[in-house]
Amino acid sequence: MKKLINDPADVVSQALLGMEVAHGDRLRVDHEHKVVFRKDAPRSGKVGLVSGGGSGHEPMHGGYVGLGMLDAACCGEVFTSPVPDQMLAATTGVDGGAGVLHIVKNYTGDVMNFEMAAELAADGDVQVRSVVVDDDVAVQDSLYTAGRRGVGTTVLLEKLVGAAAESGRSLDEVTELATRINGVGRSMGLALTSCTVPAAGKPTFELGDDEMELGIGIHGEPGRKRVPMTSAAEAAQLLVDPILTDLPYGTGDSVIAMVNGMGGTPLIELYIMYGEVQRLLEKAGITVARCLVGNYITSLEMAGCSVTLVKADDELVGLWDAPVNTPGLRWGV
Amino acid sequence: MKKLINDPADVVSQALLGMEVAHGDRLRVDHEHKVVFRKDAPRSGKVGLVSGGGSGHEPMHGGYVGLGMLDAACCGEVFTSPVPDQMLAATTGVDGGAGVLHIVKNYTGDVMNFEMAAELAADGDVQVRSVVVDDDVAVQDSLYTAGRRGVGTTVLLEKLVGAAAESGRSLDEVTELATRINGVGRSMGLALTSCTVPAAGKPTFELGDDEMELGIGIHGEPGRKRVPMTSAAEAAQLLVDPILTDLPYGTGDSVIAMVNGMGGTPLIELYIMYGEVQRLLEKAGITVARCLVGNYITSLEMAGCSVTLVKADDELVGLWDAPVNTPGLRWGV
């Protein structure tokens, strides 16, 4: 295992130290609970947004804390759900009296622990709602989930719902919006290589030199199938086709599109993939209203990429364009 | 070779197609010359900023074209200098009557070709100046350079000088600033793995499982020495020490600091490295005024990182904070 770390046991806590000194102007870190807070949280009268999950997917979620996005992110160990105590600390820490929305990726541990934290917070008189993101069309149930996994749509949802919360919408309105976005968001990914969890010290899985894993999860959990290594054009088709038929998306639709790198794929390849994805969408009569190309929800150093589409109307595009100021996504402020 | 590409011969041209559709609101691409232009170039009365070099370092340079940074970037083949024709097309395309500054990384091919393009542009009555960035403290001469290589300072310089050009400074003033920034910028990098140039199809060099290459160049050219794999704390010291003693930087200095990933190192490790770098700077009495942590000047999928420090005064911090709107660096607009 070749990694720029000190002790595998300290990876998350030391990365949080680094985040804190790098972004201390905008963020503060509760090191006891491993929670990244927006510096000015809680904001009185604003709905608080809390997300979190296993670490190793950076910039998600800690990198999405800040104006126009999350108020707090709970950081579990690498690829491991945070515990309810962390989520409770985050929830009470961001409640400004208008309630708190939990944005939860659909993994059994995350869902259970966020539910428990919500009950505990409700006992303390914090109004808590929850949205569970389950956008991965690859598999119906998986190693770590009942139902579909929550992946790329989470990033876009955090941006969009973050803008809505910033603009003063109520907990009911923000929850409805989040549920609606999850309903029109779909993702699918593939991997060219495995990744190594520091505490494990060896690759999560093995993949032949001529193979790729189609429908990979963000923890290296198995996808739909192994397929022979192929071109960018064919890879794009393998990702886009199952997404388009699932919702379904169709002629005349407008989308926010993300071509996301898994961590180890260079940006030059992601741009090639984006060109191919855009071509396929155009062929299907779908307009890309806005897009992201880069590493936004990663799996450590895994090579590969995923495609996410969120069907967008004028309201969502307006929320997309609103200012955001986080380490991972920043514009207009 | 496992890459999300179509044909190794088309990597750069197809990535430019992807960039164009992804960022068509801000950029346009001259596909004949493989030049990325700011959409509104030339801007009358504004000094034009042109950079460029081999591809494979994305987001540099194409990703740094836009308001508050470059006006054009010339994209060579992967790890190969662009040719004078490309640079000439970029130079004449951005000249708004106030002249053009070439920002050149010190590699023999780049320097020669930019010089030739400058002469050709001068024949066409465009006033051209040039700054050659040579900030890499690792080696005095190298495989591809006479003198030091140009690396991370280039990114910070393009941001700072971009802000100055945007604010209306003259060609003389912008050139003086660029020269001054190069004079106070230093970098050093290390690699944990090699990378594979698509046209070559195999890794540029071999590195043992227990080794890292200290003082690596951004094309995988040899550094100072091979050293045993070590901790993040020690790796940070191996990068920071030679930088601090070189300028030298000292107690009371303020810097803009970048911890840059080579492409294949996950962000969670870069934050650990940033924490270590910051600790060393604090110990040396140096204040970090501003920082960047992420993949800004890469070597395809190489794992590793580099540290860049630019000694900063109030003027430079002001230029740093000015709005920028490029695919690779964006805030305040």
Side-chain angles (χ1 to χ4, degrees):
Chain A
M1 176 174 63
K2 287 178 110 172
K3 288 181 182 286
L4 292 168
I5 62 176
N6 291 308
D7 184 327
D10 298 332
V11 164
V12 174
S13 57
Q14 295 197 347
L16 287 175
L17 278 172
M19 274 203 86
E20 183 175 45
V21 286
H23 308 297
D25 54 331
R26 279 167 279 174
L27 307 178
R28 62 184 161 83
V29 176
D30 171 348
H31 291 283
E32 187 196 336
H33 293 103
K34 296 195 172 77
V35 176
V36 178
F37 281 103
R38 194 170 146 171
K39 202 168 185 178
D40 58 359
R43 295 274 305 269
S44 172
K46 177 189 168 298
V47 170
L49 298 184
V50 172
S51 191
S55 294
H57 308 298
E58 291 70 22
M60 190 183 79
H61 295 274
Y64 297 141
V65 175
L67 185 142
M69 226 162 155
L70 301 177
D71 295 277
C74 313
C75 306
E77 290 304 310
V78 173
F79 293 1
T80 304
S81 175
V83 296
D85 266 5
Q86 296 177 265
M87 295 156 174
L88 180 62
T91 305
T92 54
V94 307
D95 181 44
V100 175
L101 177 68
H102 288 171
I103 301 172
V104 187
K105 300 191 304 304
N106 190 31
Y107 295 94
T108 307
D110 293 40
V111 172
M112 250 175 42
N113 291 349
F114 264 113
E115 273 175 11
M116 204 174 302
E119 284 169 27
L120 294 169
D123 291 345
D125 282 336
V126 181
Q127 223 191 338
V128 182
R129 299 286 172 79
S130 174
V131 60
V132 176
V133 182
D134 57 353
D135 63 318
D136 189 345
V137 304
V139 289
Q140 195 49 45
D141 297 300
S142 81
L143 203 53
Y144 306 119
T145 57
R148 288 176 166 186
R149 300 174 297 213
V151 288
T153 296
T154 316
V155 177
L156 277 55
L157 186 148
E158 289 176 1
K159 165 67 187 90
L160 296 164
V161 171
E166 204 69 54
S167 77
R169 291 199 203 178
S170 71
L171 183 58
D172 278 348
E173 291 167 329
V174 165
T175 307
E176 182 277 325
L177 177 71
T179 307
R180 180 151 51 96
I181 293 167
N182 182 53
V184 294
R186 298 288 189 278
S187 297
M188 174 113 170
L190 61 80
L192 306 190
T193 67
S194 183
C195 59
T196 297
V197 175
K202 58 181 179 48
T204 303
F205 61 97
E206 296 293 336
L207 201 53
D209 278 348
D210 52 354
E211 290 179 318
M212 54 189 203
E213 178 84 31
L214 183 65
I216 192 83
I218 54 172
H219 310 97
E221 59 269 42
R224 282 192 177 187
K225 57 179 173 180
R226 301 244 162 137
V227 296
M229 195 51 213
T230 183
S231 66
E234 273 185 39
Q237 191 122 32
L238 290 170
L239 296 181
V240 169
D241 279 354
I243 291 176
L244 290 189
T245 51
D246 193 89
L247 187 57
Y249 300 81
T251 305
D253 279 344
S254 179
V255 296
I256 301 174
M258 176 169 72
V259 168
N260 169 64
M262 294 301 198
T265 286
L267 195 51
I268 195 167
E269 296 179 31
L270 297 180
Y271 275 117
I272 293 175
M273 285 297 295
Y274 182 76
E276 298 294 348
V277 167
Q278 221 271 359
R279 200 175 47 76
L280 293 170
L281 296 179
E282 200 176 309
K283 212 168 117 189
I286 297 165
T287 307
V288 179
R290 297 292 184 272
C291 71
L292 284 180
V293 183
N295 291 294
Y296 293 100
I297 167 173
T298 62
S299 301
L300 297 168
E301 70 280 1
M302 184 186 282
C305 78
S306 63
V307 173
T308 295
L309 300 183
V310 168
K311 203 186 277 200
D313 53 19
D314 288 348
E315 180 196 5
L316 292 194
V317 172
L319 291 168
W320 186 257
D321 289 343
V324 61
N325 186 5
T326 71
L329 213 57
R330 191 171 179 194
W331 58 71
V333 285
Chain B
M1 177 175 63
K2 289 179 108 174
K3 287 180 182 287
L4 292 168
I5 63 175
N6 292 306
D7 184 324
D10 298 332
V11 164
V12 175
S13 58
Q14 295 195 349
L16 287 175
L17 278 171
M19 273 204 87
E20 184 176 43
V21 287
H23 308 298
D25 55 330
R26 277 167 282 172
L27 306 179
R28 63 185 162 80
V29 175
D30 171 349
H31 291 283
E32 187 196 337
H33 292 103
K34 295 196 172 73
V35 176
V36 179
F37 281 104
R38 194 168 145 172
K39 203 169 187 179
D40 60 358
R43 296 273 306 267
S44 174
K46 177 190 168 296
V47 170
L49 298 184
V50 172
S51 192
S55 293
H57 307 299
E58 290 70 21
M60 188 184 77
H61 295 277
Y64 298 140
V65 174
L67 185 141
M69 224 162 157
L70 300 176
D71 294 277
C74 312
C75 306
E77 290 305 309
V78 173
F79 292 0
T80 304
S81 174
V83 295
D85 267 7
Q86 296 177 263
M87 295 156 174
L88 180 62
T91 305
T92 54
V94 306
D95 180 43
V100 176
L101 177 68
H102 288 173
I103 300 171
V104 187
K105 299 192 302 305
N106 190 32
Y107 294 95
T108 307
D110 292 42
V111 172
M112 250 175 40
N113 292 347
F114 265 111
E115 273 176 10
M116 204 172 303
E119 284 169 25
L120 294 167
D123 290 346
D125 282 337
V126 182
Q127 224 191 334
V128 182
R129 299 285 172 79
S130 174
V131 61
V132 176
V133 182
D134 57 351
D135 62 319
D136 189 343
V137 304
V139 288
Q140 194 49 46
D141 298 301
S142 82
L143 204 53
Y144 306 119
T145 55
R148 289 178 165 183
R149 300 173 299 212
V151 289
T153 296
T154 317
V155 177
L156 277 55
L157 185 148
E158 289 177 1
K159 165 67 188 89
L160 295 164
V161 172
E166 205 69 55
S167 76
R169 291 200 203 179
S170 71
L171 183 56
D172 278 348
E173 290 167 330
V174 164
T175 306
E176 183 276 326
L177 177 71
T179 307
R180 180 152 48 98
I181 293 167
N182 181 54
V184 294
R186 298 290 190 275
S187 297
M188 175 114 169
L190 61 80
L192 306 190
T193 68
S194 183
C195 59
T196 298
V197 175
K202 59 181 179 39
T204 304
F205 61 96
E206 297 294 336
L207 201 53
D209 279 350
D210 51 355
E211 289 178 318
M212 54 189 202
E213 177 85 29
L214 183 65
I216 192 82
I218 55 173
H219 310 98
E221 60 269 43
R224 284 193 174 186
K225 56 179 174 181
R226 300 244 161 136
V227 296
M229 197 50 212
T230 183
S231 66
E234 273 186 39
Q237 190 121 32
L238 289 170
L239 296 181
V240 169
D241 278 354
I243 292 177
L244 290 189
T245 51
D246 193 89
L247 187 57
Y249 300 80
T251 305
D253 279 344
S254 179
V255 296
I256 301 174
M258 176 168 73
V259 168
N260 169 65
M262 294 301 199
T265 286
L267 197 50
I268 195 168
E269 296 178 33
L270 297 180
Y271 275 117
I272 293 176
M273 283 298 294
Y274 183 75
E276 298 293 349
V277 167
Q278 222 272 356
R279 199 175 46 78
L280 292 170
L281 295 179
E282 200 176 308
K283 213 168 115 190
I286 297 166
T287 307
V288 179
R290 298 291 185 272
C291 72
L292 284 180
V293 183
N295 291 293
Y296 293 99
I297 168 173
T298 62
S299 301
L300 296 168
E301 69 281 1
M302 183 186 282
C305 78
S306 63
V307 172
T308 296
L309 300 183
V310 168
K311 202 186 279 199
D313 52 19
D314 288 348
E315 180 196 3
L316 292 194
V317 172
L319 291 168
W320 186 257
D321 289 343
V324 60
N325 185 5
T326 73
L329 212 57
R330 194 173 178 192
W331 59 72
V333 285

